[in-house]
Amino acid sequence: MRIIAEIPHHDFRITIFGWNNKYLIKFEKGSYEQTYKVSEMDVAGDEEIKKLLEDKGFVDSVISRFLEMNKSLNAALNRLDGQH
């Protein structure tokens, strides 16, 4: 696996990897991660995969998903705590 780019963002860390004829776009925020796999056949190269990260709707959905992940984990931990 090779690192293609690390994209600066104020809400999370973004790393793009190349692996097995796919691009992996990894978003990291605290203890949470989201990874998207995109076939190299679906984009015209490294620069186009980076352009995907300029899509506001996509990035906004990543932010929402991080919030939902945190909410889900906290709810599960609260339920677990209530069992003791």
Side-chain angles (χ1 to χ4, degrees):
M1 188 174 327
R2 65 185 171 91
I3 295 176
I4 292 172
E6 291 183 359
I7 310 295
H9 194 277
H10 61 280
D11 285 321
F12 36 72
R13 179 179 176 173
I14 305 170
T15 308
I16 300 173
F17 298 94
W19 181 69
N20 215 15
N21 298 319
K22 292 182 178 65
Y23 290 102
L24 281 68
I25 307 169
K26 183 177 179 180
F27 297 88
E28 297 174 82
K29 183 173 178 84
S31 59
Y32 303 108
E33 294 181 359
Q34 295 178 51
T35 302
Y36 297 83
K37 295 179 183 177
V38 179
S39 172
E40 288 180 352
M41 304 298 286
D42 292 337
V43 291
D46 294 1
E47 292 308 311
E48 191 165 306
I49 198 73
K50 291 175 190 174
K51 279 189 159 191
L52 183 64
L53 301 172
E54 296 173 11
D55 184 285
K56 184 174 176 3
F58 177 55
V59 174
D60 286 349
S61 70
V62 170
I63 293 168
S64 293
R65 203 160 288 111
F66 275 128
L67 294 171
E68 283 298 315
M69 292 169 77
N70 185 56
K71 184 178 173 182
S72 296
L73 179 60
N74 285 329
L77 290 171
N78 287 336
R79 288 189 298 273
L80 183 65
D81 191 42
Q83 294 176 3
H84 293 114

